[in-house]
Each structure stands twice: as C-alpha cells, then as structure tokens.
Amino acid sequence: MSAPLLEVRDLHKHFEVGSPGLFGGQQEILRAVDGVSFELGRGETLGLVGESGCGKSTCARTLVGLYPPTSGQVLYEGEEISSLSHRDRAPFRRKIQMIFQDPYASLDPRQTVSSILTEPLRIHRLARPRQRRLRAMQLLDAVGLNPRHIHRFPHEFSGGQRQRIGIARALALEPDLIICDEPVSALDVSIQAQVVNLLGELQERFNLAYLFIAHDLAVVRHICDRVAVMYLGKVVEIAERDALFDDPRHPYTRALLSAVPHPDPRIERGRERIVLEGDVPSPLDPPTGCRFHPRCVERGKVTGDQCATVEPALGSRSACHLESDV
Amino acid sequence: MPILDVQNLRVRFETHHGVVRAVDGVSFSLEEGETLGLVGESGSGKSVTNLALMGLIPSPPGVVEADALRFEDRDLLALSDEELRGVRGNEISMIFQDPMTSLNPLLTVGRQLTEVLEVHERLSRREARKRAAAGLADVGIPEPERRLDQYPHELSGGMRQRVMIAMGLLCRPKILLADEPTTALDVTIQAQILELMQKLQREYGTAIILVTHDLGVVAGMSDRVNVMYAGRLAETAGAVELFDDPRHPYTRGLLGSVPRLSGDTDADLDSIKGSPPDLADLPAGCAFRPRCSFETERCAAEPPPLFDLGGGRSSACLERDALGQPEGGAR
C-alpha cells in the first residue's frame, strides 16, 4: 500500500506565553496542539472541527510550515517535511496551499488580481513571464470570475468574489492539497453556498485533497468524507462522515451536534438539547485526565475516578473511557 | 392591541455615493410576549430597522421617517430626547452582537449594570448593586457578587454576552431588541444563551425582535419571521409556514442555501446566483430580480408591494403563485 498523501504523527505545538524575570512574571506553556495524528488520502476531504481555541487553526498553520512544530512529524507522501530547511521545503510548499477565513484581510489591497495570481508563479519560477498572465486569466475563469477583471484591485470585488480570488491563488501552483481555514464562515449564506459548491467542483476537476477547518458542522457534513473533532488541542473523535453524524460516540461530539440549530421549526422545537455547562477551560491549564471531564454529562457512568485521573487514548474512533469500557 | 406598531418605516443615509435607502417602507407589528425573527443578508436593513426603533440612527447622515412608530399608546417619533431616554434601556432595550465592543472596557461590570438602575429607577447605589447581582444570577453567572467588581476583559465571550443580556433585562423591558446575540459565540455557548433568553422571556413576558442571519436560530426561537431584502420586506409569515412553504423566491433561495445535518449530502446546495445589490444603485423594479429564477418582464416595472396572502402571511413577489411547492417539500 502506498503512503497517504499527508500523514500527521503526534503533532505538538506549544507556545510560551508571559515573560519570566523582570517583574517576577511566570512563563507558562500554552498547549495549542497537543498530540494530534491523522492521515489524509489523495482527493479526500477531512474536516477538522471544534470550538474557538481548540487548536484547529494552529494545527493547520503548523502543517503548512507557518509555525515550526514543537514535536511530531508531518509526512508528505511518506517523506518527513516538518524538519526540512526553508529551501528544501519549497517543492512541498507548492503542493500544499492554503485558503484563509477573511477574504478582506488575506489579499493585499495594493496588488491587482493579476499580480496576486502571478506572484506564486514568479516565486516558484513557473511558466514564462508572458504565459503567467494567461495562466492567471485561466484561474479566474476556473473560479467563476470574469478573466477580463484581471487588472482590478481587491476592493472592487464583493466578499464572495474575493474568496474566489483567494481560491484561484491557492490553485495557481497546481497543489495536491488545499488547507481551507474557515473558508466560508465570513460569508452570507447564499454566497457561502456558491463557494461550497465551487470547492466541490474544483476538487473533482483537479483531484484535490482538502483539510477543511470549520466550526459549522452542517457545512462540514456537506463537504467532508471524514471528520476529526478537536477539543483543547486533542482529537477526541475521528470517523467517516456518516458514522460521525449518525452515530457520534464521544460525549463532546454529541453535545456539539446537539447544539447546532436546525433550520426547521418542527425539528428545532421538539428536540432535546444537550446543553453543556460552563466554558472551555484554558489551554494554559487544561484539566487532568480527560480534558472534557469537567463539562461531560456522561462522567457519572464511568466507574471510579479515571475520567479525572487517566487521559483516555484515541482508540479506533473516540477518546473516551466509556468507549473502552464497552 | 400590539405592543409595537411600525408603519412604512424609512431610513435613508445621504452619502457621497448618493442616497442609500437602508430601510425602504417596512411595516410590521409585534404582540406582547412574542418573538419576531428578522432575517436577511448583510445590508438587507435588519439591524438598521432595530437601531431606528431605538432612536439610535445618527443624524446626519441618517434620516428616519415613518407613518407610525407606535409603542403601546406613545408615538416614538414624537417623543423628546429626554422622553426617549426614559423608554430606551428601560421599556425597550437592546443587546448587541459583539459584547467586547459594546461593553465599556474602563468600567467594572457592576458599574455598568448599576448605572442603568440609577438612571431609570433612581435606586440608591446599594439597592442597585443588589439588583445587579440578582440580574447576573438570573442569567446563570456563578459568583455574581465577585463578577460585579470585574472588568469585561476578565470574562470569557459567553460570560460577556450574559452580562449584556442581564443589562438588557435589568429593567424588565417590554421589548428586547436582540441584534445577532449569539453570532460571535461557539455553538455550545450559543445553545446556553438561547435557552436562557427563552427562559427569561417566559418569566417576564418580554417581546423579542431577533435579528439574525442564522436560519437555525430563527427556526428555534421565532413565532413569526420577517424576511428582508435590500431594505424591504420580501416575505412575512409564521415560522412553521415560512420554513414549510416559502412564498418568495429569495426565502426559497435562502432555505436552499443552508447545509443541513440531515438528508441528502451529495447534491450541490441550491445557492442563489450573484451577490446582494448595492443599495445606492438598486435595479429598477424588484431588487431581487437579477438573482431570481422566476423573473418575468413585469418584475422590472416597479418594486412589488407586499401582497396579503391571508393567514398572517404576505409576500412581495408578483410570481408568488408560480413558485409551487419547494423540491422535497418540508425537509
């Protein structure tokens, strides 16, 4: 069996916060990503979901090399890339591209669309200068924008159109994998649907793999083949799409799914919701044992105090002591 | 008699790019204890409608006009500034989307809460503090006494939004205007806040106007729904009827655009083509026409009025009878 397109092994990303010394301040370790592993196949979409601060964006940024990992490995087609030098990494940067959440902040307002789309080609010395413009126009066409608007600036486009420009830029280097960090959450629903459909169409056309980071579970269900759920820097459950949505195993996944409002008054009013108490604890000082245990509604079902003392391992499916009891 | 009656509300802004009609002839009423959902995309005029009701549209550049803006037996447009201050935050109050920017970072939570009571109910500091602590306890904030002495930055996002709600409800308002109250929050915290709003509504009989773009939130909270597009009402109906059988192509498009947690996942979403229009440069006739798949020649003539469909429903679409049943019916 050949190696998966992307494999992440026990990835950690810790940040040191606060300054030691001068005023007796204490240096603390923020464990943003704390042991994450998964695989992603060619042409596949893996969803990475969780609430603010669970580490999903940090995980993405560490994968593409925007942050150096604290420990762990990132393998691209079986080759370890996270420890490569900036220069040795260049061919892999070409193959892994990224789309960001905010289409207003992720495009340089002083660059024309032409300059934005040809810049990656210039940096990687692809195509002759004259052909780059043509390539940029093809990219615009591929994402449903008018190729004649190539000399315009980002402010001349609407939010949805800007997100299409960001997608075109990601496509410029013919990547195998695009990391989408909340690509539709800043858009209005009608525009969001257009962009979701576009991502599906492009995936089919170019055989792209997506790592799709989002907090909107309905969008994730629509677009992903498999889904990983993160809580406080760890994956608590990972499963095929239908298995996860139809039969969630981890109590956190269940609570998360049950909190999503359904756009149908009959369902929405009749159903029982699991309402979690309290907030997500600080990643500076995560709870001992299972990180979810202080908010977990199933805690009482586990014998003894292992929820508070023993950290459950992510088995074949979910990281919960109840799962291993069964 | 409805507690609030709005007739032909118009809000326009005079800008360098021309006159922007942010709200252009909106009429609706609100009954005691009822929740009215106000949905639409960015720029559809839903937030401006709420700000106009609160008298919070800056003038210039804003101009607010209406045939009637009646709260109980008072005409809100005829009130003096001072009389309006007596209503605002007291009988009609508002909670905003972003609790980080709408709470004062320089004042403790306690000071911001007690100020409301000192102004509107002329309570002493000590009484006000007691009521403020009770208000925080009401919205499920643990250790309310201690929280009173904290500053907004010391609280989490969900906690701050609770403080906003506590502030909005301190004077037991008759109407609460909630502008995207849970949009900035994670779903599990959103679920807590929505449950809390419903509980407080049951206890105090407050009427709520809920502005949101999240159709799931609307479905769970609203008795009736107004759908806005480009400053006008596109459709108004009871929540169940609206979701079962939308009578305006825009409502239909919105419902088709939302991905769901159940049902078919392999088909494309039925998105609406194009983008929302520029309010300073609206197309002639129906503003939704360029994005509509039911468009005919007569749609270009003039903006369609709101047609009464009976049963408390109305639709501003000339082709409303051509819509038929949505594909798949009520999903």
Side-chain angles (χ1 to χ4, degrees):
Chain A
M1 206 183 92
S2 63
L5 183 68
L6 182 80
E7 188 180 350
V8 177
R9 288 187 191 158
D10 201 25
L11 191 72
H12 289 75
K13 178 63 200 171
H14 298 172
F15 295 97
E16 293 175 353
V17 296
S19 57
L22 212 53
F23 300 108
Q26 271 249 293
Q27 183 130 25
E28 293 180 287
I29 307 281
L30 190 150
R31 295 162 198 279
V33 178
D34 208 20
V36 166
S37 305
F38 58 82
E39 289 178 8
L40 178 59
R42 204 169 269 279
E44 188 190 29
T45 303
L46 173 69
L48 198 55
V49 303
E51 298 179 281
S52 337
C54 72
K56 53 193 195 301
S57 288
T58 305
C59 186
R61 282 156 192 252
T62 312
L63 289 182
V64 292
L66 289 173
Y67 297 139
T70 307
S71 67
Q73 291 179 304
V74 179
L75 287 82
Y76 187 83
E77 293 188 314
E79 194 171 339
E80 213 299 304
I81 59 168
S82 66
S83 55
L84 295 179
S85 69
H86 187 76
R87 180 190 296 195
D88 290 342
R89 206 184 154 112
F92 298 100
R93 266 200 300 278
R94 231 188 101 181
K95 291 294 173 193
I96 308 178
Q97 291 289 309
M98 192 156 176
I99 311 172
F100 298 90
Q101 171 172 5
D102 184 348
Y104 293 82
S106 53
L107 301 175
D108 183 341
R110 289 177 298 185
Q111 273 185 302
T112 62
V113 170
S114 169
S115 162
I116 289 170
L117 295 182
T118 55
E119 188 177 36
L121 300 171
R122 282 199 303 277
I123 291 171
H124 287 269
R125 298 168 199 277
L126 297 175
R128 294 195 189 158
R130 237 175 265 167
Q131 288 168 340
R132 287 178 193 154
R133 163 96 24 103
L134 185 67
R135 175 85 182 116
M137 292 172 82
Q138 288 168 345
L139 288 167
L140 282 182
D141 187 56
V143 297
L145 292 175
N146 187 342
R148 279 181 303 188
H149 292 169
I150 193 160
H151 296 298
R152 294 194 176 181
F153 287 91
H155 76 264
E156 297 176 77
F157 295 89
S158 67
Q161 289 171 325
R162 270 182 245 208
Q163 197 54 294
R164 287 173 193 261
I165 297 170
I167 294 171
R169 176 176 60 185
L171 289 174
L173 297 172
E174 299 175 6
D176 295 325
L177 166 63
I178 298 185
I179 297 186
C180 312
D181 190 359
E182 301 270 9
V184 295
S185 43
L187 306 174
D188 274 320
V189 273
S190 73
I191 308 300
Q192 172 178 310
Q194 294 173 359
V195 173
V196 165
N197 288 345
L198 173 70
L199 287 172
E201 184 193 313
L202 293 171
Q203 176 165 47
E204 217 159 282
R205 188 161 155 200
F206 300 114
N207 193 28
L208 295 167
Y210 291 138
L211 180 65
F212 193 91
I213 297 166
H215 66 274
D216 185 333
L217 289 155
V219 172
V220 165
R221 176 173 180 269
H222 194 82
I223 208 163
C224 297
D225 302 309
R226 283 188 306 134
V227 183
V229 182
M230 281 186 76
Y231 187 76
L232 273 180
K234 293 206 172 274
V235 171
V236 296
E237 179 163 3
I238 184 163
E240 298 288 326
R241 190 249 327 261
D242 289 345
L244 188 109
F245 283 94
D246 298 343
D247 177 26
R249 297 284 176 80
H250 197 282
Y252 178 63
T253 313
R254 269 185 237 142
L256 203 56
L257 281 172
S258 123
V260 179
H262 288 252
D264 182 333
R266 293 181 206 271
I267 300 177
E268 187 55 21
R269 286 172 200 181
R271 76 205 179 93
E272 283 278 321
R273 239 191 236 143
I274 307 169
V275 176
L276 289 182
E277 284 182 20
D279 290 321
V280 180
S282 162
L284 284 171
D285 183 22
T288 55
C290 171
R291 292 183 179 196
F292 185 58
H293 86 265
R295 303 174 77 199
C296 184
V297 291
E298 310 277 356
R299 197 179 15 172
K301 293 188 186 163
V302 178
T303 41
D305 61 351
Q306 45 171 338
C307 289
T309 54
V310 184
E311 185 167 329
L314 179 63
S316 59
R317 170 95 188 248
S318 96
C320 176
H321 290 301
L322 271 179
E323 183 88 338
S324 49
D325 279 3
V326 177
Chain B
M1 194 182 82
I3 188 165
L4 182 74
D5 185 34
V6 177
Q7 291 301 325
N8 197 16
L9 175 68
R10 287 148 299 169
V11 182
R12 63 170 196 273
F13 295 93
E14 323 238 328
T15 73
H16 296 301
H17 303 291
V19 176
V20 171
R21 295 180 197 284
V23 178
D24 192 18
V26 164
S27 305
F28 63 89
S29 61
L30 183 70
E31 302 290 333
E32 212 169 296
E34 144 180 90
T35 300
L36 175 68
L38 209 54
V39 300
E41 297 179 276
S42 326
S44 60
K46 44 193 202 306
S47 294
V48 174
T49 301
N50 265 359
L51 290 172
L53 296 178
M54 284 289 271
L56 290 175
I57 299 287
S59 168
V63 180
V64 179
E65 293 166 328
D67 295 353
L69 216 58
R70 194 163 291 284
F71 168 58
E72 294 181 320
D73 51 358
R74 282 163 283 178
D75 180 0
L76 287 176
L77 286 177
L79 295 185
S80 69
D81 282 354
E82 194 174 334
E83 288 168 318
L84 194 57
R85 272 198 295 276
V87 173
R88 191 164 54 202
N90 187 19
E91 293 177 280
I92 305 181
S93 72
M94 187 154 183
I95 52 183
F96 298 90
Q97 171 173 357
D98 184 354
M100 198 58 216
T101 52
S102 35
L103 292 176
N104 188 334
L106 300 177
L107 298 179
T108 61
V109 166
R111 185 68 201 113
Q112 298 185 57
L113 289 166
T114 51
E115 186 181 27
V116 181
L117 294 164
E118 286 169 29
V119 170
H120 288 300
E121 306 201 356
R122 310 208 180 282
L123 295 185
S124 71
R125 283 233 168 170
R126 185 180 298 178
E127 288 169 295
R129 196 175 155 89
K130 230 167 118 188
R131 271 274 295 278
L136 290 184
D138 264 358
V139 297
I141 291 183
E143 306 177 81
E145 282 287 343
R146 190 168 71 82
R147 300 290 179 186
L148 287 178
D149 298 320
Q150 290 188 317
Y151 289 87
H153 77 266
E154 298 177 78
L155 307 176
S156 67
M159 211 60 105
R160 276 184 225 132
Q161 195 57 288
R162 282 163 201 262
V163 170
M164 282 274 290
I165 293 177
M167 194 182 294
L169 292 173
L170 267 185
C171 297
R172 308 275 151 85
K174 292 171 179 150
I175 302 176
L176 181 67
L177 307 176
D179 192 346
E180 305 269 10
T182 57
T183 304
L185 305 174
D186 280 316
V187 278
T188 61
I189 308 296
Q190 167 171 284
Q192 296 173 358
I193 300 282
L194 293 179
E195 195 172 85
L196 172 70
M197 283 175 63
Q198 283 176 317
K199 176 177 157 259
L200 295 172
Q201 178 174 41
R202 279 194 302 272
E203 274 168 30
Y204 303 143
T206 313
I208 299 177
I209 298 183
L210 177 69
V211 171
T212 176
H213 68 278
D214 187 326
L215 292 164
V217 171
V218 170
M221 298 283 290
S222 313
D223 301 303
R224 283 189 303 132
V225 183
N226 282 349
V227 181
M228 289 190 75
Y229 190 79
R232 299 170 69 95
L233 285 181
E235 176 165 10
T236 168
V240 174
E241 292 78 16
L242 185 98
F243 280 83
D244 275 359
D245 178 22
R247 305 302 297 165
H248 192 285
Y250 176 61
T251 316
R252 175 84 74 85
L254 275 184
L255 291 174
S257 295
V258 196
R260 287 154 199 266
L261 282 181
S262 53
D264 186 18
T265 49
D266 294 326
D268 269 0
L269 296 169
D270 308 326
S271 62
I272 305 174
K273 64 186 178 187
S275 322
D278 177 357
L279 288 178
D281 184 22
L282 285 178
C286 173
F288 187 60
R289 184 168 56 88
R291 307 178 73 190
C292 185
S293 41
F294 295 88
E295 184 215 352
T296 60
E297 263 172 44
R298 55 188 189 139
C299 298
E302 56 178 356
L306 208 53
F307 298 98
D308 189 350
L309 307 180
R313 305 199 59 169
S314 44
S315 160
C317 179
L318 295 172
E319 301 299 328
R320 60 198 176 278
D321 295 327
L323 295 184
Q325 275 293 316
E327 284 164 48
R331 274 186 279 188

